[in-house]
Amino acid sequence: MQSSHHASGFTVRLADPETPRDAAGTPAGRSFTQRRRNRHGRGLRGELLLPTLPGYRSRSDRFDELVMDSAQRLHDIWGKPLDGVRFAVDEIPPNLEQLLAEGSPAPLGSYTPATEDEGPIITLYRRVVEQACPVKEELQDLVHDVVVEHTAEMLGVAPETLDPVYRRRY
């Protein structure tokens, strides 16, 4: 912690009480590169990536956006029947180890019907969907397919009738 006070050309600098000092009063125990890199207590002045750059968001943030984009697209097409539907993202299915032990494939998503307390929930499993997608550029299409399939299951219609651009890609 360093602060300074200026009064008529006189400067007082308060030293950090936790910084050990040698006999000359200079900070001890810091290497030249530490002193040189963080000179005057500045260090990094801001974020490394701006929020407008693609690398700013994490993979899970981008995946969440893909799910919400697909859900919004279906809501724009169908409207009222999708009111109250919640779309969720989990990392992996809750019983993944058991499914794999039985030799069953891991589900890409799930549909939970409405209860008295809450509306229907469509859940996508991020890690499973990402693993199932061979090419990163096709992730958006696969996410949309999974959203369409589970929404179609909820509405009791064929996925092809739910969204005209749907086609089974896996």
Side-chain angles (χ1 to χ4, degrees):
M1 174 178 127
Q2 289 193 2
S3 64
S4 60
H5 173 69
H6 300 282
S8 64
F10 181 71
T11 303
V12 176
R13 296 194 114 201
L14 300 176
D16 186 354
E18 296 176 10
T19 304
R21 298 193 171 270
D22 61 13
T26 57
R30 292 190 320 171
S31 71
F32 172 77
T33 54
Q34 287 175 321
R35 283 192 314 267
R36 182 82 175 139
R37 183 173 171 271
N38 200 9
R39 194 169 168 198
H40 303 293
R42 290 189 184 131
L44 294 175
R45 294 186 181 186
E47 298 177 20
L48 293 176
L49 287 174
L50 298 173
T52 56
L53 297 175
Y56 181 77
R57 294 172 292 143
S58 68
R59 280 182 18 195
S60 68
D61 290 341
R62 289 190 296 269
F63 190 87
D64 292 349
E65 285 182 18
L66 293 176
V67 172
M68 290 301 109
D69 289 346
S70 292
Q72 185 61 49
R73 176 189 162 93
L74 288 179
H75 193 273
D76 291 346
I77 294 171
W78 281 79
K80 189 95 172 123
L82 298 182
D83 286 348
V85 177
R86 287 188 16 218
F87 292 86
V89 175
D90 279 344
E91 290 294 308
I92 57 172
N95 55 352
L96 183 61
E97 290 179 7
Q98 180 183 354
L99 289 171
L100 296 177
E102 295 170 357
S104 302
L108 301 177
S110 67
Y111 159 63
T112 306
T115 63
E116 292 179 13
D117 299 331
E118 57 183 31
I121 303 171
I122 295 174
T123 306
L124 274 73
Y125 302 115
R126 182 176 74 88
R127 299 266 182 172
V128 179
V129 172
E130 287 175 344
Q131 288 264 319
C133 190
V135 183
K136 185 176 142 185
E137 289 76 24
E138 295 177 5
L139 183 61
Q140 182 174 7
D141 293 336
L142 182 58
V143 166
H144 186 66
D145 285 350
V146 176
V147 169
V148 167
E149 286 176 3
H150 290 288
T151 306
E153 176 187 351
M154 178 190 73
L155 296 174
V157 299
E160 295 81 13
T161 61
L162 188 64
D163 188 359
V165 298
Y166 168 82
R167 66 182 200 280
R168 187 176 299 273
R169 292 177 178 82
Y170 55 92

